[in-house]
Amino acid sequence: MEEIEIPTEHLHETIAEKSEEALKGNENKWIMYLAISTALVAVFAAIAGLMAGHHSNEALIEQIKASDQWAYYQAKGIKAEIRSLRVNGTDDAAKIAQYKKEQQEIKKIAAAHEKLSEDHLDKHVSLAKAVTLFQIAIAISAISILTKRKSLWYLGLLFSLAGIFSFLYGII
């Protein structure tokens, strides 16, 4: 799986330029707070993107391990079936019982890998949502600084807060 790309570099540049202009023109301090909060949101977005990619990869790896175990499970079943078709002595019955017992152990391992895969995928989804919310917050912050509207910055902060909740849900 590939990492989630966060195309916000242009927005960062715009925010940095506007905050520098605001400091030169002695505009409100809120522009500096907006720039700092947006930079922090960008850091969270980068971390969430990295973690989402990690959990996506781990989910895939665990699913592959589960598939391998299920193939092994089927191989044991086929061996047991072949043994049952033979018309030999009593040691075949013991071998068939051994294969069936091994199948049950393999089944538990496969189910454990499937569960781990699902857990990683759930975390990936939460972290991917967090990245999206952070990107929206950054975009709204950029619009806020361009239009000099504090209300948009507050809206961006709300999206950031929602992103943080999704981020925390994804790492717990």
Side-chain angles (χ1 to χ4, degrees), residues 27-166:
E27 285 189 33
N28 296 333
K29 282 188 172 182
W30 79 270
I31 292 177
M32 182 54 73
Y33 295 136
L34 185 146
I36 291 169
S37 66
T38 304
L40 290 173
V41 170
V43 168
F44 274 113
I47 293 169
L50 183 65
M51 292 177 72
H54 166 74
H55 284 292
S56 176
N57 291 339
E58 289 298 316
L60 184 61
I61 290 167
E62 290 298 331
Q63 189 58 48
I64 290 169
K65 288 179 182 178
S67 295
D68 288 348
Q69 288 299 311
W70 284 119
Y72 189 42
Y73 175 88
Q74 289 175 334
K76 290 291 183 177
I78 291 169
K79 284 182 177 182
E81 198 58 38
I82 289 171
R83 286 269 183 180
S84 70
L85 294 175
R86 287 179 156 179
V87 188
N88 282 352
T90 58
D91 58 331
D92 282 338
K95 199 68 168 169
I96 292 169
Q98 177 188 348
Y99 287 146
K100 295 293 182 184
K101 181 182 175 198
E102 288 172 354
Q103 267 189 309
Q104 294 310 310
E105 293 169 11
I106 295 166
K107 184 178 180 179
K108 289 177 188 175
I109 294 169
H113 284 300
E114 285 178 340
K115 174 73 172 109
L116 283 173
S117 177
E118 289 172 10
D119 291 346
H120 281 295
L121 197 54
D122 287 343
K123 288 182 179 192
H124 165 75
V125 169
S126 291
L127 290 166
K129 284 179 187 177
V131 170
T132 302
L133 290 166
F134 291 141
Q135 287 177 332
I136 291 169
I138 292 167
I140 290 172
S141 293
I143 294 168
S144 172
I145 202 164
L146 291 171
T147 61
K148 297 184 176 153
R149 297 174 96 184
K150 280 187 183 180
S151 59
L152 289 176
W153 177 48
Y154 297 136
L155 180 62
L157 290 175
L158 284 174
F159 274 97
S160 299
L161 188 61
I164 288 171
F165 283 126
S166 187

Side-chain angles (χ1 to χ4, degrees), residues 2-9 45 49 131 135:
E2 50 187 71
E3 278 186 40
I4 298 174
E5 187 176 325
I6 306 167
T8 56
E9 291 84 20
V131 170
Q135 287 177 332

